[in-house]
Amino acid sequence: MRKLFLISIGLLIVSTSTFAGGLLTNTNQHVLFLRMLARDASTQIDAVYSNPAGVAFMEDGFHLSLNGQSAFQTRTITSTFAPFAGFGGNATKVYKGEASAPFVPSVFAVYKKDKWAFSANFAITGGGGKATFNEGLGSFESQVAMIPKLLKEQGFVADKYSVNSFMEGKQYIFGLQLGATYKITDYLSVFGGARINYVSNAYSGYLKDIQANIGGGDKLVNLNNYFTTLAAGAMAAAEKFEPGSPEYIKYMTDAARASAVAGETADMELDCKQSGWGITPIIGADFKMGKWNVGVKYEFNTKLNVENKTKGTLPAAPADPTKDKFANYRDGVNTPHDIPSLLTVGVSYEILPILRASVGYHHFFDTHAKMATVQDPATGALVDKHNYIGNGTNEYLAGMEWDICKWAQISAGMQRTKYGVKDNYQSDMSFAVSSYSYGFGAGFNVAKNLKLNVAYFWTDYDKYTKDMSSYNGTGMPGKDVFTRTNKVFGIGLDYKF
């Protein structure tokens, strides 16, 4: 129980993203993305992120954009495991996590002069939210749910249990992007730059007051207190006999067994913080002719490790480090946290002077990004988590914008996200579910050089079902069904000096 609880806390860090994009990447950097989505061929201020080579086709001068987004997400895991019936009488439980990012800022800047353009962007490029599971998760409650069965095997009568559990995790990847764009010809431009990424993760949780109905009935008792008292009584009884005598050995054996159960059912708390940094090289190109524009961007894989600062007590490390299930979470240890490389391609077309359409494609090379190790359920060996990704994430985007008058535009778009993860990648602490995202909004030219953007964006997630012959290593069958909800509000100002 203690072991699985600690693993659950540690893995929660990779599941707190509340934005659009890949497993660790946020692509909704600007409100223009929220209200149109297909921005990979943009030549406006948001191109600093979505199509940095496209800024060469902006007007000369200094451009600045300030954006704020609010994101809210629920994560729902419906877990079915027969022993859960001992906690309320139902074998199916719903664990709901609330994730929120009330205010997420981003800043874009471009200085354009003749053939050159210099750009900068600061944003939360990954994560950006806090996930809270007020009733814990099935992955470690399943171990507590096995207590009545284990007690019966040791001669105790019990068929009910209860536990007080809580989990919370948050993740932020702050990104500062700098680069330069050069217009080679009237139709073609290229970009080169880099993004400095800083990771800041924090997660905590507890498992308290584990109880069971020792002796049957409806009365539950705290197991740690019960078996601590039982162990003390057995020790006191053993002291009445000569060491080595049959009675002494019996009572000492009983005391040892009771002490072991008391230790396994003690209250547990953990607080862990992680930090690290890495650099992402970025290149891009843009081709613009007549009513057509094509943008291409490639972000290289970001080599990144995070270092743990962990409070709490982990089990002692084994002699063989390859067998250490807690290697990723020990204080001072560095673990892989790579950001996958990304290829984006976008095409835009001016249907009419007042009507534009765009399409886009994203591919995240997830299989090349190293992640923390997880235990293979079949062999028990520790393997890199990215081995459970069959293929990288693919995204398909489309959007349109219409100038309804000289001072206002409306737009809408959609995105299909398809993940390539396998069953062993998915867990209630960290799961990726394919989805459809939709956004709409408006832009208002409130002054000659000032534009206001507003948008609403939401995501409809598929359901992913994971059947297990041994639910979380318990030896009994069970299943988890994963899904989410997501909504984002955004507002931003674009200004040209």
Side-chain angles (χ1 to χ4, degrees):
M1 287 173 289
R2 295 176 65 87
K3 292 181 179 180
L4 191 61
F5 165 73
L6 292 168
I7 290 177
S8 301
I9 291 289
L11 290 179
L12 187 64
I13 63 169
V14 298
S15 65
T16 56
S17 178
T18 57
F19 297 98
L23 298 175
L24 280 177
T25 307
N26 296 339
T27 54
N28 53 322
Q29 300 289 311
H30 194 282
V31 176
L32 283 172
F33 175 91
L34 296 182
R35 72 177 181 89
M36 187 176 173
L37 282 85
R39 303 296 301 175
D40 303 296
S42 171
T43 56
Q44 298 181 47
I45 183 67
D46 66 309
V48 172
Y49 171 78
S50 60
N51 180 32
V55 300
F57 296 96
M58 297 177 68
E59 294 181 3
D60 282 3
F62 182 72
H63 304 257
L64 179 66
S65 179
L66 305 176
N67 294 259
Q69 300 181 42
S70 298
F72 305 92
Q73 185 181 98
T74 60
R75 301 142 194 249
T76 304
I77 305 104
T78 304
S79 302
T80 302
F81 182 56
F84 284 156
F87 192 3
N90 198 329
T92 298
K93 299 193 67 173
V94 177
Y95 300 91
K96 190 173 183 180
E98 302 287 345
S100 63
F103 180 71
V104 181
S106 62
V107 181
F108 298 73
V110 174
Y111 177 72
K112 165 69 171 28
K113 181 67 174 178
D114 297 329
K115 295 184 177 182
W116 284 95
F118 301 93
S119 60
N121 164 229
F122 177 79
I124 296 177
T125 54
K130 179 176 70 173
T132 301
F133 290 84
N134 289 311
E135 297 182 356
L137 291 168
S139 57
F140 61 92
E141 185 178 326
S142 59
Q143 309 303 297
V144 180
M146 294 294 290
I147 287 177
K149 179 177 182 294
L150 298 175
L151 290 174
K152 286 182 180 180
E153 293 173 354
Q154 298 184 34
F156 296 92
V157 177
D159 60 4
K160 297 179 181 179
Y161 74 93
S162 71
V163 62
N164 179 13
S165 58
F166 172 82
M167 302 267 307
E168 182 176 88
K170 58 183 178 180
Q171 178 192 66
Y172 293 93
I173 303 179
F174 301 96
L176 174 62
Q177 178 182 313
L178 301 171
T181 302
Y182 181 72
K183 185 186 289 186
I184 300 173
T185 70
D186 290 341
Y187 311 107
L188 180 65
S189 62
V190 293
F191 169 84
R195 182 182 303 116
I196 302 172
N197 305 275
Y198 177 77
V199 177
S200 177
N201 301 331
Y203 44 96
S204 59
Y206 59 74
L207 195 64
K208 298 179 179 180
D209 194 21
I210 299 173
Q211 300 184 21
N213 61 333
I214 299 291
D218 295 326
K219 183 179 179 180
L220 302 179
V221 298
N222 182 285
L223 293 180
N224 176 257
N225 294 339
Y226 181 88
F227 283 98
T228 297
T229 302
L230 200 65
M235 287 286 290
E239 292 175 357
K240 298 177 182 180
F241 299 93
E242 289 292 329
S245 67
E247 294 84 356
Y248 179 87
I249 293 173
K250 175 186 179 301
Y251 283 117
M252 289 300 292
T253 300
D254 290 344
R257 291 171 59 189
S259 294
V261 177
E264 288 293 308
T265 56
D267 291 351
M268 292 162 278
E269 294 189 43
L270 188 67
D271 177 23
C272 184
K273 294 180 174 60
Q274 294 187 326
S275 61
W277 67 278
I279 297 177
T280 307
I282 306 169
I283 56 175
D286 187 90
F287 179 79
K288 184 175 179 62
M289 178 177 286
K291 298 180 178 181
W292 292 92
N293 191 65
V294 179
V296 179
K297 179 184 70 168
Y298 183 75
E299 299 187 3
F300 290 80
N301 188 79
T302 307
K303 297 294 183 182
L304 195 154
N305 289 328
V306 292
E307 183 177 354
N308 299 337
K309 291 185 179 179
T310 304
K311 297 178 182 179
T313 303
L314 294 174
D320 183 355
T322 64
K323 304 293 185 180
D324 186 3
K325 300 177 182 179
F326 307 97
N328 295 326
Y329 319 113
R330 297 192 182 278
D331 186 52
V333 169
N334 285 271
T335 54
H337 199 285
D338 289 1
I339 301 172
S341 51
L342 167 63
L343 172 68
T344 70
V345 180
V347 179
S348 66
Y349 179 70
E350 186 181 279
I351 302 171
L352 298 170
I354 60 170
L355 184 64
R356 297 165 292 280
S358 297
V359 294
Y361 169 72
H362 300 165
H363 181 76
F364 297 86
F365 296 84
D366 301 314
T367 58
H368 303 295
K370 291 186 177 181
M371 303 178 182
T373 58
V374 295
Q375 188 175 28
D376 187 284
T379 66
L382 296 178
V383 298
D384 288 340
K385 192 175 182 180
H386 74 269
N387 290 327
Y388 296 130
I389 301 175
N391 55 267
T393 303
N394 290 303
E395 294 184 325
Y396 309 90
L397 308 93
M400 297 188 72
E401 184 176 51
W402 176 34
D403 299 336
I404 58 175
C405 62
K406 291 183 179 180
W407 54 270
Q409 312 89 41
I410 58 173
S411 58
M414 69 171 294
Q415 171 180 292
R416 174 58 170 165
T417 300
K418 288 283 291 181
Y419 294 110
V421 298
K422 302 178 182 178
D423 266 8
N424 288 341
Y425 180 94
Q426 306 282 54
S427 71
D428 54 8
M429 292 80 71
S430 173
F431 61 87
V433 186
S434 297
S435 63
Y436 289 92
S437 295
Y438 309 90
F440 67 91
F444 304 97
N445 301 321
V446 295
K448 181 180 179 180
N449 294 330
L450 181 64
K451 183 177 182 179
L452 169 69
N453 292 295
V454 294
Y456 175 64
F457 171 98
W458 76 98
T459 303
D460 290 334
Y461 289 89
D462 299 343
K463 289 185 177 180
Y464 189 105
T465 300
K466 180 181 179 181
D467 288 295
M468 290 163 272
S469 59
S470 177
Y471 188 75
N472 295 305
T474 59
M476 297 182 65
K479 72 174 182 179
D480 288 327
V481 180
F482 309 107
T483 192
R484 305 186 185 205
T485 65
N486 188 52
K487 57 185 178 181
V488 184
F489 305 87
I491 185 169
L493 287 171
D494 301 339
Y495 186 75
K496 178 182 179 298
F497 291 88

